[in-house]
Amino acid sequence: MTELTGEVADIIYKNETSGYVICTLYTAEDEVTVVGFLPYVSSGENIRVTGNWVNHPDYGRQFKAETFEKLLPQGIPAIERYLSSGILKGVGLATARKFTAKFGLETIEVIRNTPERLEEVRGISYEKAMSISQALNEQWDLWKLVSFVGNYGIGNKNAVKLYKNLGEDALNKIKENPYVILENCVGVSFKVTDKMAMDVGIDKNNEIRVKAGIKYALSIASAEGHTYLPKTVLIEYLLTFLEVEEDAVLSGISGLAIEGKIKIYQNEKIYLLPLYQAEKNVALRLAEMGKIKSKYKVKKIATELENGIVLTKEQEECVKKSFDSQIFVITGGPGTGKTTIVKAIIKTLEEFEAKVVLCAPTGRAAKRLSEASGIEAKTIHRLLEIKHIDDEDRNSLVDAEVVPIDADTVIVDEVSMLDVVLMNNLLKAISPSTNLILVGDADQLPSVGPGNVLRDIIDSGKVNVFSLTEIFRQAKESMIIVNAHNINLGEMPEFNQPDTDSFLVKANTYDQIMHHVIQLTSERLPQFKNYHPIEDIQVITPMRKGLLGANNLNKELQKVLNPYQGEKRQISLGDRVFRVNDKVMQIKNNYDIEWRTKYETGTGIYNGDIGKITAVDNDAEMVRVVFDDGKEVEYDSVQLEELDLAYATTVHKSQGSEFPVVVIPVFMGGQRLMTRNLLYTAMTRAKETLVFVGNLSSIEYMVRNLNKKERYSGLKDMLGEGLEKIC
């Protein structure tokens, strides 16, 4: 890290919302362009910045600030420039000069600590003096906070968030209890706040620390998919993590339960309270719906659909049973006709003039459902109109405001992707008289978020479930589908047969696999069937990090598929470069970001949405993206962190999507990662052509590896216990 000190001469660009600034800094030696998150910095101020030198493709050498600290202006001219820079409403250069003429070098100190003295200046009333002092002190409090937390590697963006959440006394609150940072900021580790706590004199056995450690452990478990942790598992972890005695942990657990921060269920399951409420709410509603008969008295179902499609006996039975109760689950692998059944249900409901609403967890899944059914399908988030939520704080979503769904029947596809929080919000929006049909493949990977909703519902035995096993005749002609079912049965797939759609390109080393993945994507597959290398081909990999992880594959594929050229605009964010024509993916839900199409405007772009960069504006640090569904979005420098290159993506991120061609590198990795259901989920993303790159032994290992990471979720047991015990 390099440190620079100087006076801000000019603000070239400022994003008022994010605090991102491009400015000119006069140092003792030079005039420097500084970029970074510098909230509330104005011309005339003296600052100290730490960061690194970077080379901008258009503007050359710049200093990228990681932390900054404001310094008192040095000298009368600097004080006047600072006070008149616009930071204090109603104070221009003339007023600033009056202040310095009266108070000299003590001007800042007078404004901050004895503002009543400003009345000595002609034209300054008591009210105006207090207003000027308050404005300056508010900024001063923020600057001190930014400086303090910056010493622990907590960036300006999180510092501003802390100030907004904790108020003017934020710094004192943090010094009293540094662990409040964990409840207000994303991406800050317990280790960082623990170091801060030690520095301000908080003892290792302090109750504040132990309770913070418990909540942190449960939040980490939530991020890994658990809704709770068994008491014994939590205690064992905390004894090592916190290095305290068991009595301290037990006392902390009891204290948090009394405070209503956690829930101890059945004396053995420890929940963060919001996740307990979500799981309980889902269980109560599903148990209730499972006991109610369907309001539809169907005498004859639609067995013949358009294009000459006739239901099989199994499909007929499934459609009939879907009208037995208020809630119904349809599950089955690829090619078993789930979409055909949905279309038959919709057609059967036509005689009742029922309003049917379709939805799915992701934009791509909703688009596929719309195309297959002929009815508009929305993402669940858009359907519920969930807004103004920090999606990284999943717990806050439990109490999200949702718009009631106006429907007689709601059909949800790709339910394996639903976590317990989103399921809770969906059920909140469904009226007591609405039928609910859940459709999904229980053998795919579970949701990224906490819970195991689809599997728990099926295994509970309390909801009507129909499992499809028969593969359509057309599907049997696809080796992708046949191989997927074989893998599910523990059998090895077949590759490279005549007229096949499933291939294996043999490679033994990581370098060989990388070479073939790039060659297939850029040359061989486009030549094979005229596939577009960016729009039609998707590389899907088991992991994010490592040589064959999504991060590195994206860099290597970008070099070949969209290389830098002198006239091509690009922008850097950390170690990522975004370039015009890049394929990108939204990697977190943003409920508030604005989009537009030719015919409408709206808000909300969601995790997993894929698009293409159509413009880059380096001056404004802006990138324009057009998504697959036609939505056009402009990203500022802060929102850019929500984008990632999408030439390659992880299996989890690909869920709910379907691509003409999928290329999967297979290699030996960790036992908990290289599993059958991960392999199955990845390969079922391919619609026309599937190519594995690796060796048979790696594939065989994954087929045999049933080691699914255990998820602690209580929905199955809650449903099994019935309404009385849940309450």
Side-chain angles (χ1 to χ4, degrees):
M1 285 280 188
T2 303
E3 183 179 286
L4 297 179
T5 300
E7 181 181 325
V8 178
D10 184 32
I11 301 294
I12 300 169
Y13 170 79
K14 177 186 284 188
N15 185 310
E16 297 291 351
T17 302
S18 67
Y20 184 86
V21 167
I22 303 174
C23 68
T24 303
L25 185 71
Y26 285 157
T27 69
E29 296 82 22
D30 201 0
E31 179 181 324
V32 177
T33 299
V34 176
V35 300
F37 295 98
L38 308 173
Y40 305 107
V41 163
S42 302
S43 299
E45 294 183 320
N46 284 266
I47 62 173
R48 180 185 294 120
V49 290
T50 59
N52 296 291
W53 291 101
V54 296
N55 282 307
H56 191 282
D58 293 325
Y59 304 110
R61 196 167 185 245
Q62 298 179 335
F63 189 82
K64 187 170 184 180
E66 299 296 335
T67 66
F68 88 106
E69 177 185 3
K70 291 204 180 188
L71 306 172
L72 280 172
Q74 302 298 310
I76 298 297
I79 292 174
E80 292 173 350
R81 286 194 299 271
Y82 168 58
L83 294 178
S84 62
S85 64
I87 64 167
L88 302 175
K89 188 175 180 181
V91 177
L93 183 58
T95 303
R97 284 174 174 168
K98 288 181 183 179
F99 289 161
T100 57
K102 182 69 176 178
F103 305 112
L105 295 175
E106 295 181 359
T107 298
I108 299 294
E109 200 64 28
V110 168
I111 295 174
R112 289 194 59 223
N113 299 316
T114 55
E116 63 277 2
R117 291 186 61 194
L118 295 180
E119 288 186 272
E120 299 172 22
V121 176
R122 187 174 180 180
I124 303 298
S125 65
Y126 176 81
E127 290 75 16
K128 187 171 184 178
M130 294 301 109
S131 175
I132 292 171
S133 179
Q134 181 181 357
L136 185 61
N137 280 323
E138 283 178 358
Q139 292 208 29
W140 210 269
D141 290 339
L142 173 60
W143 306 332
K144 288 189 293 184
L145 175 62
V146 167
S147 178
F148 179 76
V149 299
N151 291 328
Y152 296 89
I154 298 174
N156 300 332
K157 193 164 58 169
N158 270 330
V160 172
K161 188 174 182 181
L162 284 167
Y163 187 77
K164 288 179 178 177
N165 291 353
L166 300 177
E168 297 176 14
D169 201 31
L171 183 55
N172 288 331
K173 291 176 181 177
I174 288 170
K175 287 181 177 179
E176 290 172 8
N177 177 10
Y179 303 104
V180 297
I181 295 173
L182 299 173
E183 299 175 8
N184 289 277
C185 296
V186 174
V188 179
S189 71
F190 186 87
K191 184 178 180 180
V192 167
T193 55
D194 211 31
K195 171 69 166 60
M196 194 184 296
M198 299 300 110
D199 290 347
V200 298
I202 293 178
D203 184 76
K204 186 168 68 173
N205 295 298
N206 190 297
E207 184 182 30
I208 292 175
R209 178 176 183 267
V210 175
K211 288 180 177 179
I214 293 168
K215 289 188 290 183
Y216 185 76
L218 290 172
S219 67
I220 293 298
S222 168
E224 294 177 352
H226 307 294
T227 58
Y228 73 88
L229 285 179
K231 192 173 185 179
T232 54
V233 172
L234 178 61
I235 291 172
E236 184 179 354
Y237 173 77
L238 290 169
L239 293 180
T240 303
F241 180 62
L242 295 177
E243 297 180 339
V244 294
E245 297 297 324
E246 185 171 341
D247 286 347
V249 175
L250 291 171
S251 176
I253 291 172
S254 298
L256 287 171
I258 292 169
E259 294 167 14
K261 300 293 179 60
I262 66 172
K263 172 69 177 180
I264 306 173
Y265 184 62
Q266 296 177 329
N267 200 36
E268 62 178 26
K269 299 174 181 176
I270 313 296
Y271 285 84
L272 286 171
L273 189 64
L275 288 180
Y276 169 75
Q277 291 171 333
E279 203 155 68
K280 174 186 173 182
N281 293 345
V282 171
L284 286 170
R285 186 67 192 278
L286 292 179
E288 185 179 9
M289 294 178 78
K291 294 181 178 181
I292 300 174
K293 294 289 185 182
S294 171
K295 60 186 176 184
Y296 302 112
K297 307 302 178 186
V298 177
K299 296 179 180 178
K300 185 179 180 181
I301 65 168
T303 58
E304 296 185 11
L305 307 177
E306 69 276 5
N307 301 323
I309 296 175
V310 179
L311 300 187
T312 66
K313 293 296 182 183
E314 182 183 60
Q315 290 172 332
E316 279 189 40
E317 184 183 358
C318 181
V319 175
K320 287 176 183 176
K321 287 185 178 297
S322 72
F323 296 104
D324 286 348
S325 57
Q326 192 178 37
I327 182 168
F328 186 66
V329 176
I330 302 168
T331 185
T336 55
K338 296 189 293 295
T339 302
T340 300
I341 289 168
V342 168
K343 292 166 73 174
I345 291 171
I346 294 170
K347 188 171 183 179
T348 301
L349 286 171
E350 287 177 357
E351 69 169 289
F352 298 94
E353 297 183 351
K355 183 174 182 180
V356 180
V357 169
L358 307 184
C359 60
T362 67
R364 292 181 73 91
K367 184 180 179 182
R368 285 174 52 204
L369 184 58
S370 295
E371 292 169 348
S373 65
I375 297 178
E376 182 191 12
K378 295 181 178 180
T379 64
I380 297 173
H381 300 89
R382 189 177 176 195
L383 181 64
L384 302 181
E385 296 185 25
I386 298 175
K387 296 179 179 178
H388 308 299
I389 294 292
D390 184 354
D391 190 57
E392 291 168 311
D393 181 7
R394 306 265 339 149
N395 298 335
S396 65
L397 277 164
V398 175
D399 296 318
E401 292 184 10
V402 297
V403 174
I405 301 172
D406 178 19
D408 298 301
T409 294
V410 174
I411 300 175
V412 190
D413 198 13
E414 296 287 356
V415 179
S416 63
M417 299 179 67
L418 258 69
D419 61 42
V420 71
V421 175
L422 188 54
M423 185 66 175
N424 175 50
N425 284 315
L426 177 66
L427 291 173
K428 279 165 53 179
I430 293 176
S431 74
S433 62
T434 299
N435 277 21
L436 177 63
I437 296 174
L438 305 175
V439 184
D441 184 348
D443 291 316
Q444 289 196 34
L445 291 172
S447 60
V448 175
N452 207 2
V453 173
L454 180 59
R455 175 52 63 189
D456 279 357
I457 292 173
I458 293 171
D459 291 347
S460 73
K462 296 296 181 179
V463 173
N464 287 336
V465 177
F466 197 99
S467 298
L468 299 164
T469 57
E470 184 180 346
I471 305 176
F472 265 173
R473 179 182 62 80
Q474 296 95 325
K476 288 179 181 177
E477 298 172 4
S478 166
M479 284 306 297
I480 296 173
I481 291 175
V482 171
N483 279 336
H485 285 273
N486 287 342
I487 284 173
N488 240 358
L489 296 171
E491 300 173 4
M492 282 292 289
E494 296 180 8
F495 301 111
N496 305 342
Q497 302 295 319
D499 300 319
T500 189
D501 54 13
S502 297
F503 303 90
L504 171 65
V505 176
K506 293 184 178 180
N508 293 314
T509 68
Y510 280 21
D511 288 339
Q512 288 174 351
I513 294 173
M514 177 68 79
H515 169 77
H516 285 301
V517 167
I518 292 173
Q519 190 182 52
L520 282 161
T521 307
S522 60
E523 298 176 19
R524 293 177 62 182
L525 285 166
Q527 293 170 2
F528 174 57
K529 282 190 179 178
N530 202 31
Y531 288 124
H532 191 284
I534 296 177
E535 295 175 5
D536 296 329
I537 302 171
Q538 183 63 52
V539 178
I540 299 177
T541 181
M543 59 187 65
R544 174 155 295 282
K545 298 180 180 180
L547 184 66
L548 296 175
N551 290 344
N552 192 55
L553 280 168
N554 270 318
K555 291 178 185 177
E556 297 302 319
L557 288 166
Q558 183 190 44
K559 291 177 186 177
V560 177
L561 300 179
N562 191 27
Y564 175 69
Q565 296 167 335
E567 72 280 2
K568 188 172 287 186
R569 306 288 288 181
Q570 66 178 33
I571 191 170
S572 298
L573 181 69
D575 61 349
R576 289 175 292 168
V577 175
F578 293 111
R579 198 170 285 151
V580 171
N581 294 330
D582 269 337
K583 182 178 183 180
V584 291
M585 177 186 286
Q586 178 79 13
I587 57 173
K588 63 167 283 188
N589 292 329
N590 186 325
Y591 305 88
D592 302 319
I593 195 169
E594 296 178 354
W595 54 260
R596 62 178 178 268
T597 67
K598 187 176 181 180
Y599 304 103
E600 61 178 335
T601 60
T603 58
I605 297 293
Y606 304 110
N607 193 347
D609 289 351
I610 292 178
K612 182 174 79 170
I613 294 177
T614 58
V616 172
D617 185 335
N618 293 101
D619 292 333
E621 296 279 322
M622 182 279 295
V623 167
R624 183 180 300 119
V625 177
V626 175
F627 286 91
D628 288 350
D629 57 3
K631 293 187 180 75
E632 185 179 277
V633 180
E634 290 188 353
Y635 289 79
D636 63 26
S637 56
V638 175
Q639 294 161 336
L640 265 181
E641 295 184 359
E642 300 173 5
L643 279 183
D644 204 352
L645 294 174
Y647 301 103
T649 188
T650 62
V651 180
H652 271 108
K653 288 291 185 185
S654 72
Q655 278 184 272
S657 299
E658 193 175 67
F659 308 94
V661 186
V662 168
V663 177
I664 305 174
V666 285
F667 46 90
M668 293 305 295
Q671 184 182 14
R672 293 170 63 183
L673 187 64
M674 313 306 289
T675 61
R676 180 187 296 179
N677 67 333
L678 185 137
L679 181 68
Y680 171 81
T681 302
M683 66 187 298
T684 52
R685 303 306 94 209
K687 188 175 181 180
E688 299 174 14
T689 302
L690 171 68
V691 185
F692 285 101
V693 183
N695 55 60
L696 280 172
S697 61
S698 297
I699 295 174
E700 184 177 10
Y701 176 84
M702 295 181 77
V703 171
R704 290 180 177 178
N705 183 13
L706 292 173
N707 180 29
K708 296 180 182 179
K709 184 179 179 182
E710 181 182 3
R711 281 199 173 195
Y712 296 115
S713 62
L715 183 58
K716 173 188 169 183
D717 291 339
M718 285 184 179
L719 280 168
E721 290 168 355
L723 293 174
E724 299 78 12
K725 289 190 177 180
I726 299 173
C727 294

